[in-house]
Every structure is written in C-alpha cells, then in structure tokens.
Amino acid sequence: MGAMINHDQDRDLRPFFAPRALAIVGATRKPGFGYILPVMLREQGWADRTYLVNPRGGELHGYQVLPSVAQLPDAVDLAIVMVGAERAPAALEEIGARGIRRVIVESAGFAETGEAGRLLQARMREVVRRYGLLAIGPNCVGVISPKERFSTVEVVPESLTPGPLGIIAQSGAFGNVLLDGLHQRGLYISKAVTLGNRMDVDESEVLEYFHADPDTRVIMMYLEGAADGRRLLATLKKVCADKPVLVLKSGRTETGRAATASHTGSLSGRDELYDAAFAQSGAIRAETLEELLCLARVFTTQPLPRGPRLGIITSSGSLGALAADVAVRHGLVLPPPSPELAAAIAKDAPAWMNVKNPLDVGPSSLYASSLPAMLQAPGYDLVLAVAIIPYSVVRQFQPLGLTPKVWFGDIVKAHADAPDKPLALAVVGANEFVADMARVSGPTVPVFTSPEACAKSLAGLWRYRRWRQSLGED
Amino acid sequence: MGAMINHDQDRDLRPFFAPRALAIVGATRKPGFGYILPVMLREQGWADRTYLVNPRGGELHGYQVLPSVAQLPDAVDLAIVMVGAERAPAALEEIGARGIRRVIVESAGFAETGEAGRLLQARMREVVRRYGLLAIGPNCVGVISPKERFSTVEVVPESLTPGPLGIIAQSGAFGNVLLDGLHQRGLYISKAVTLGNRMDVDESEVLEYFHADPDTRVIMMYLEGAADGRRLLATLKKVCADKPVLVLKSGRTETGRAATASHTGSLSGRDELYDAAFAQSGAIRAETLEELLCLARVFTTQPLPRGPRLGIITSSGSLGALAADVAVRHGLVLPPPSPELAAAIAKDAPAWMNVKNPLDVGPSSLYASSLPAMLQAPGYDLVLAVAIIPYSVVRQFQPLGLTPKVWFGDIVKAHADAPDKPLALAVVGANEFVADMARVSGPTVPVFTSPEACAKSLAGLWRYRRWRQSLGED
C-alpha cells in the first residue's frame, strides 16, 4: 500500500485489456455514464473483480461501494475515473498514492472545452508524471477486450466476439456506437482503445502495442490529429512493415479542424502533411468512415494479392464498368483473359457474350463455371464478382430449386480452391437478395453493396502489398 | 391495317408508358427473358391487353399465342421484341407494316457485340426510319410505369408504387435489379426507361419527356456515353432549369470505356468533357452508384435550401467533424450559432458543452430541444443531424420509455415546423438502431448510415439551388 513508484517501470499496456481487478472511481446512481457499466461488468463475469468507489459508500447494483480509493484491495491494477472534471486531479492523486498504475479517465471537461479545462488537464498530467502512471484519456470511453469479455464502455455482447481487428480511436463513438454495427458486417475485434484527449497514452504507443499483440492482424485507426507527428510517422513505418494500418483522419478542412479542437482538443495540422505521412509510411488512408469499414472487411478476410491484375466477372455490364473504372483509378489493371481462359469460357458461351475483362456473362448460366475459372487463371491476382439477378426472378425460381447458390455457383468452394487470391462480391438489389448472397458467400468472402467500394477496397489490398514489396518482400 | 405512315407524326413517348394494348413478339416457353413477363403482366392486371406472338402459335401461360404480327388487333400500339438478333429486322418490318408505331427491342446481339451485330442494328434502324417507328433499344429491358402498374421487365410489385423519380438508364440492371432495392430506401419512381444501344430513342428525348411529365419531379440518369453530346448538353440546360437531373456516368477510364463499348456499344468519350458538360448545364454528377441514390433521396424528399449555411447537430463529436469536412469541401459553410441561438442552447447546457457548429450535445438530453432550435434559427439554411447512442444504452432504457424518439425528440414535427429547410439524419451503429431511427424519422426525413454521404447529398441540394439562382431565380 502506497509503495514507492519506480518511474522507470515498463509501460506495458496489457493490464488495460486484462486487469487482475478494477475500480470504478465515481460510480454513481444517477443515470448517465457509469451507471450501466457495473451492471454490464457483472453480466460479462467481472463482478468479483470489480470495485466501486464513491464517498457516499452504500450499495449500488448489488455491489458494495467503497468510500475511498485507499480502501481498494491490492489486486486492483486498473482504475476507471468517472468523477467530475474538477475532482479528477485529486482522484488521480489518490489512485497514484494507492499504487494503482493504470488509469482510464472517462470524465470530460478538459482541454476540449477551453482554458480552464486545459489547466485541469495539465494538473492531472502532473500527477500522472509524478506517480509514473499510465493514463488513457481524459474524455474517452476506455478499452474493449473481447478475449477477456472485458469492456470499460457499454457495448452489446455481440461486440465481444474476438477477431483480428485492433481499433485505435480518439472518439468515444468509435468505442461503442460504431462497434454496435461491426459484427453485423462480419468485423470482429481483438482490442479497441479510445484515447480522447491523450494526456499520456497516445496512438503511437497503442500502435506499438498492437504491433506486438498476437491477436491483432489488422489495425484500424480514427485520428483527429497526431499527438506527436514525428513519432507517429516513425511508428507507422515500423508497424506497416508487418501489419496493415487503415486510417481515417478528420479535420481535413479549417471547419473540420475547428470541430476536432472542440471535440478532443486536437490540433489537426495541414491535411496534406497527413496525406504525405500516411503515403510514406505505408498506412492506407480511408476517405470516409464507410471506406474505412470496407477496407477493414477485405483486410481481415482476404490474403494480400501477388500483383495488380484484377479479373471482374459480372452479371451486369453497367455495374462491371463502374467497378472497372474505380479499380483502374486506384492502381489495379484489368488484363484480358488469356487465350486458354477465353477458350474455356467461350466454349459454352452464347453468341452475344463478349469474353473480355470485365467478363459480362449477363443472364447466362455461365457464372457458376466462369468464376472458378477466373480464380484459377494464372493471369489474375484478384477477382471481383458482381453477382446480381432481378429479385422477381429469384422469387419465381427459388421454389424450383434455382437458388442463388445454383445460379452463381459454390462461391465458398471456388475461393477455398484459390486461397491465395483475394475475392470480393458486389451485390445490388433487394435487401433480402443481398442477405441471401451474404449467407451464400459465408464469412470468407465479403459482400459489398457498392461495386465501387468493392473495387476500391480490393485496390487497397494491392496498394499495401506493393508497399511491402517496396520494402524488399517477395 | 398496313396504313401509310406519316413520317412527320409526333414523337409522343406517352404510349410507351400507358399502351392501349401491347404485343410480345417472340414470346417463348423456354425459361429466360420473356418467360416470366406474360405471367407478370397478368398479375399486374394487363392480361386482357397483352398479346403474344410466336410462329408456333398454341397456348402459353394461359394466353392464346398468335402465329403472326399481322393478326394483332388494332388496339396494340406497342410491340416488345424478344426474338433472336437475326430475326429482329424482319420482326420490325412486320410491326411497321401492321401499323404499330412504338417498339421496344429487348433482344441483344447488336452493336455491343461487334461488326456483324452493328450491321444487324443498322438494318433495324433502316426499318425504324422507313416506317417512322419510335424504337427503344435494342439490348434493353424497356420501361416501367408504376402509375399504370405496367412494366416490360420483371420487377417485384413493391417497385410499382408511384413516386416522383424518373429514371433513364442504358443498362438493364438499372431497370430491375437496382429497382428491387429502391423502395427499401424510400425511393419511388414515376417512370423508368432503359435505353440499351439507342438506335432511335435516346437519353435527350426521354429527358425532354420527363421535363414535361407532371409525375416526374427529379430525374436520375445512368449513362455510358452520350448518343449526341451537343444535343444532350442543350437538353440538360433546358431541363435543369426546372427539374434536377442527377447523373452517374461510367467509362471514366480507358478500361471502363472499353467495358461500356462491349456492353451497350457506347463510345464514352473523354471524361473531362462530361464533367464540363454537366457543370455547364446544372446537372449533378454522382461519383458512385451509392452517391447517385443518396442524392436521389434528398432531392425527392427535401426542399431546396435558400443558401449554403449548414447547421450540424451531433451526439458524436467525431462524426460531426467528418460531416463538417465533407460539407465544406462541397460548397457549404458552417457559421457559428447566432448569439440568440447560442444563448438559448447554453441555458440548459452542461459546462463541458461547446455551443458551436457542429453543435456537439454529446450524451446530454439537449438533442430534443436543440434540433428544433437549429431548424428555426434564421442563420441556417440546411440542417444535418448526427443521431447516435450506443445500442446497449438503447436496450437498457427502451423498456423504461426512453425511446429514440424521446432521446432525439420529435424529428418529424421539428422538420414539419421548418418546411423550407432541408434536413437529413446520419445514423451509425446497430442495424436495428438505424431501422428504429428510420421509423422515427418517417418518409420526410432521409436517414443515411454515412455522415459523409449525408453531408455531400445536402451539399448537392445547395449546388443545384445555386445553379437555379445563377439563372435569375430568387
């Protein structure tokens, strides 16, 4: 208790994601932040490792509330701070004095609000330095750690299915609301961290951690501004040599920068500098939130392509053309089918069919045989499949056994037989048809409802692979 | 029967959408195109006005099949041609000789396939000219006319709910598959035309028709290339002065252009020329299919704004910043709240809240009062509302009566009280939450799942209004 702190102690982030026990400092009976959290921790099996602190003591959600931090047991190695901003520096002082080294400050009202808040944040930072604390926040919602079924923020249980995606975000919305929809898109996370105002732990430190984390294969980052631009660039260079980093950065315009300043107190800096930094380091910048999620879907499910040669197969000429435009604009090439492939396809093709790339099979029955042929063809490194049929036709023929799986073939098997080639589907039409196709494609072949997003996402895979090749990789 | 044709006869397109009676020439018992159509026409109430022609005669789907076009009754004023490409010129000859002036050639195998097909198409065109026919196609799926519950292509009945959106497309996919999903996005059409290879009727002629059509308020166009660039530019200028025209054009790259050439035989031309033409004429160009649909949603549901001043209200700082960036990049401005509005909001605001624009109300209860205040404020011409809460919170509080409608207020009423201001919502998170919010917002306030798409769509409204103002409109 109150042991001397070794300031040179390592900055291991692991206990943030798997604490021995944790304390919620400022647990309250008023509905709002921190109200649901103790309930949720109980549901997730953390009740015996969760302690609540509030000067009023008493009982809350079936937990005994301790009146002070000093009374917390030794097992507590993580404190979640939810007290009002003015009370926060004192709370950190007590946490430091109690020998708890890791703290997440969820309270808001600091640098993002103006001068008074900046001073409060500086006082907290001084406490953090003095005790050698590792602090996430303030103005954040902390961490999510599905493997441990541990989360410092209210999330639906479905979000706690472990997966390969590590998330770094400044904003709370990326720690809960965004997550609500991720599992519905086939995205499952290894860990997520929301950084808020970053008085101590910043994105570079978490990047380093995810770099070493065996559960994280792909990193997704939402940034309002770099805490330390030079360090971020150096860290990205190191991390991107091994793991892809997908970045969405706001504050592209003066107005957007002003918005981020009042959100997490971030100084965004000139957008062109970020563009250059991301390009130099191998990070893949998404232009929109939607694009970030699309990139995450192909990066978590598909292998990296060996080259830029994209084959497009489509049952709609127009959607094939839209995908082709975007693919080419983003660095892929569309070579025509080899004579062997062309001959194999033309053998069964109707007279009106052009055996080209995009391969427009129209409403023919060639899809089921042409997709595997294209995936097997040595002339293509990636395949994009636009798979549509009118829903009225689906309704008529489904009862007769002509299901989407019969129509488009066994897509899962076709991909499994060519496991080194990225494959993605673009499906447009009735929601029910899109859902059908997602079922048919399973978790290993992502389905996009936009041909352009599908093409751009696949192009992102090649862009990253090319970066790795430029570093000397085979 | 076989009356002399007056070549100067008007080119009224209306009977394409409301024929007195129609004939399907080349009706077949083989599954494929034209197999389901007679069944569907019966379901839509057209059985007594539908005639099938096939030299074999007999009976099909409960219709008596006539062996020749010559036997068709006088009431038939529209013929749908589905015979093989080689047979098509002769079929048109028979149709012309029978005095039927309007024809839709759905058959493929013409200019899109190469030299032999080009010759066949030229022969058809000669017949069309000689008889003074009005011909849509070949290589298309014809028309959809919800008001008459009439369609020459297989669509689901849900697509036949009339609405304000007129669709012009070269591609068949835009005539059926795309439509399958439109009603699920709140998009309902007045008429749709797929033009295919455009041997006669082209996009300019349909634009003129939609310009005059009282049921069409907004026009959406998918183009692979202009049939006649000069005419298209002149027509767009005329039409855009009264009705918005939203355009998606493929063939942006050499590869994409090659794809469109083999799809509808279109010569796309340099993309920059199209950009310039659309900008000069007031047409709004969408960059992607998704963007086209987003634009259609705001244009069909929202008024045009009086100016570019956007107010953003958000429960998430990051998503507000992302929307702000895109809004500003696309021509909107984000002035701060007026002193009156700021005072009204600050009155009830917690200390940490920045009364700015974007107005980030965070997890406070201010949303329900601030959104109407922003909509009423004379300083804003449009409002974008980012409305998110963690779904875990929704699940906890919904049973207690704290529904999204309580949380975010009566959005429908707020908009109805400011009917001259465009309003759109950006909602991110669990699919169920997005669906809840779409229900709460009703058909008059579009909900987008991307803050950037929401902002860009609203910017499209202002861009079009500014164009109209440049023509001298108030």
Side-chain angles (χ1 to χ4, degrees), chain A residues 278-353:
Chain A
F278 297 141
Q280 272 176 50
S281 61
I284 309 289
R285 182 172 191 174
E287 282 183 52
T288 64
L289 175 56
E290 183 62 33
E291 197 176 306
L292 183 73
L293 301 180
C294 289
L295 284 167
R297 292 182 66 211
V298 295
F299 272 94
T300 52
T301 60
Q302 299 307 298
L304 295 181
R306 294 189 165 272
R309 299 166 307 167
L310 175 70
I312 297 181
I313 178 171
T314 181
S315 53
S316 153
S318 52
L319 301 188
L322 290 171
D325 270 343
V326 171
V328 169
R329 281 165 77 123
H330 292 90
L332 299 179
V333 294
L334 275 76
S338 69
E340 296 74 29
L341 178 61
I345 293 168
K347 190 162 48 72
D348 305 311
W352 52 259
M353 206 176 105

Side-chain angles (χ1 to χ4, degrees), chain A residues 129-144:
Chain A
R129 291 283 175 274
R130 182 149 44 83
Y131 283 97
L133 305 185
L134 280 75
I136 292 176
N139 186 25
C140 74
V141 296
V143 303
I144 300 152

Side-chain angles (χ1 to χ4, degrees), chain A residues 424-472:
Chain A
L425 256 65
V427 179
V428 171
N431 293 345
E432 296 83 352
F433 178 62
V434 175
D436 272 359
M437 291 304 297
R439 265 190 297 276
V440 167
S441 306
T444 57
V445 181
V447 170
F448 294 87
T449 55
S450 151
E452 296 96 338
C454 187
K456 198 170 178 188
S457 304
L458 286 174
L461 286 177
W462 163 239
R463 191 173 148 193
Y464 178 61
R465 176 57 181 255
R466 196 180 44 187
W467 166 260
R468 296 263 295 247
Q469 286 179 345
S470 76
L471 300 178

Side-chain angles (χ1 to χ4, degrees), chain B residues 52-196:
Chain B
L52 311 192
V53 178
N54 189 308
R56 299 183 193 180
E59 205 234 358
L60 183 62
H61 296 311
Y63 293 87
Q64 162 112 37
V65 180
L66 300 175
S68 82
V69 169
Q71 288 165 272
L72 286 168
D74 288 344
V76 173
D77 53 0
L78 173 64
I80 318 290
V81 174
M82 293 189 159
V83 299
E86 292 76 14
R87 279 271 302 126
L92 255 69
E93 185 82 46
E94 291 162 27
I95 289 161
R98 179 62 190 84
I100 300 167
R101 280 199 66 227
R102 285 168 190 82
V103 58
I104 297 172
V105 183
E106 300 203 3
S107 322
F110 298 95
E112 80 279 12
T113 58
E115 196 46 37
R118 257 189 296 277
L119 283 172
L120 275 173
Q121 188 168 320
R123 279 177 52 201
M124 278 205 298
R125 199 182 152 104
E126 184 276 323
V127 179
V128 166
R129 291 285 175 275
R130 184 149 42 84
Y131 283 98
L133 305 185
L134 281 75
I136 292 176
N139 186 24
C140 76
V141 296
V143 303
I144 299 152
S145 179
K147 204 175 177 183
E148 310 293 337
R149 292 196 73 74
F150 175 64
S151 170
T152 66
V153 51
E154 297 87 347
V155 291
V156 293
E158 301 91 309
S159 294
L160 293 177
T161 306
L165 185 65
I167 297 181
I168 304 172
Q170 288 192 247
S171 162
F174 279 76
N176 45 38
V177 177
L178 185 70
L179 252 64
D180 290 342
L182 291 191
H183 64 93
Q184 293 172 326
R185 294 164 174 255
L187 286 171
Y188 300 97
I189 65 168
S190 57
K191 275 119 190 156
V193 190
T194 66
L195 294 170

Side-chain angles (χ1 to χ4, degrees), chain A residues 311-454:
Chain A
I312 297 181
I313 178 171
T314 181
S315 53
S316 153
S318 52
L319 301 188
L322 290 171
D325 270 343
V326 171
V328 169
R329 281 165 77 123
H330 292 90
L332 299 179
V333 294
L334 275 76
S338 69
E340 296 74 29
L341 178 61
I345 293 168
K347 190 162 48 72
D348 305 311
W352 52 259
M353 206 176 105
N354 290 293
V355 180
K356 292 187 175 169
N357 182 18
L359 178 69
D360 178 3
V361 300
S364 77
S365 58
L366 285 181
Y367 211 103
S369 59
S370 299
L371 174 58
M374 207 168 219
L375 276 164
Q376 291 297 332
Y380 295 120
D381 304 306
L382 329 79
V383 173
L384 188 161
V386 179
I388 64 169
I389 20 174
Y391 202 58
S392 60
V393 175
V394 176
R395 278 191 189 159
Q396 289 270 351
F397 288 113
Q398 195 131 315
L400 310 176
L402 190 51
T403 62
K405 189 162 174 175
V406 173
W407 196 289
F408 294 110
D410 189 338
I411 294 169
V412 175
K413 183 180 183 306
H415 191 225
D417 289 344
D420 58 335
K421 293 201 186 166
L423 170 66
L425 256 65
V427 179
V428 171
N431 293 345
E432 296 83 352
F433 178 62
V434 175
D436 272 359
M437 291 304 297
R439 265 190 297 276
V440 167
S441 306
T444 57
V445 181
V447 170
F448 294 87
T449 55
S450 151
E452 296 96 338
C454 187

Side-chain angles (χ1 to χ4, degrees), chain A residues 31-33 35-36 39-40 43 108-109 112-114 153-158 171-174 176-178 180-185 222 224 248-263 271 287-290 316-322 324-326 328-329 334 351-354 356-358 360 363 388-393 395-397 428-433 449-452, chain B residues 31-33 35-36 39-40 43 108-109 112-114 153-158 171-174 176-178 180-185 222 224 248-263 271 287-290 316-322 324-326 328-329 334 351-354 356-358 360 363 388-393 395-397 428-433 449-452:
Chain A
F33 273 147
Y35 174 79
I36 298 174
V39 178
M40 209 190 60
E43 284 168 1
E112 79 280 11
T113 58
V153 52
E154 296 87 348
V155 291
V156 293
E158 301 90 309
S171 162
F174 279 76
N176 45 37
V177 177
L178 186 69
D180 290 342
L182 291 192
H183 64 92
Q184 294 173 324
R185 293 164 174 255
Y222 168 72
E224 306 201 323
L248 177 65
K249 192 196 155 293
S250 59
R252 296 196 143 204
T253 62
E254 204 55 57
T255 306
R257 280 192 283 280
T260 62
S262 65
H263 178 227
D271 194 62
E287 282 183 52
T288 64
L289 175 56
E290 183 62 33
S316 153
S318 52
L319 301 188
L322 290 171
D325 270 343
V326 171
V328 169
R329 281 165 77 123
L334 275 76
W352 52 259
M353 206 176 105
N354 290 293
K356 292 187 175 169
N357 182 18
D360 178 3
I388 64 169
I389 20 174
Y391 202 58
S392 60
V393 175
R395 278 191 189 159
Q396 289 270 351
F397 288 113
V428 171
N431 293 345
E432 296 83 352
F433 178 62
T449 55
S450 151
E452 296 96 338
Chain B
F33 273 147
Y35 176 80
I36 299 173
V39 178
M40 208 190 60
E43 283 167 3
E112 80 279 12
T113 58
V153 51
E154 297 87 347
V155 291
V156 293
E158 301 91 309
S171 162
F174 279 76
N176 45 38
V177 177
L178 185 70
D180 290 342
L182 291 191
H183 64 93
Q184 293 172 326
R185 294 164 174 255
Y222 168 71
E224 306 201 324
L248 176 66
K249 192 195 155 294
S250 59
R252 295 197 144 203
T253 62
E254 203 55 57
T255 306
R257 281 193 282 280
T260 61
S262 65
H263 179 227
D271 196 61
E287 280 184 54
T288 63
L289 175 57
E290 184 63 34
S316 154
S318 51
L319 300 189
L322 290 171
D325 269 342
V326 170
V328 169
R329 282 165 77 124
L334 273 76
W352 52 260
M353 206 176 104
N354 290 292
K356 292 187 175 169
N357 184 17
D360 179 3
I388 65 169
I389 19 174
Y391 201 59
S392 60
V393 176
R395 276 191 190 159
Q396 288 271 350
F397 288 114
V428 171
N431 293 343
E432 297 82 353
F433 178 63
T449 54
S450 152
E452 297 96 338

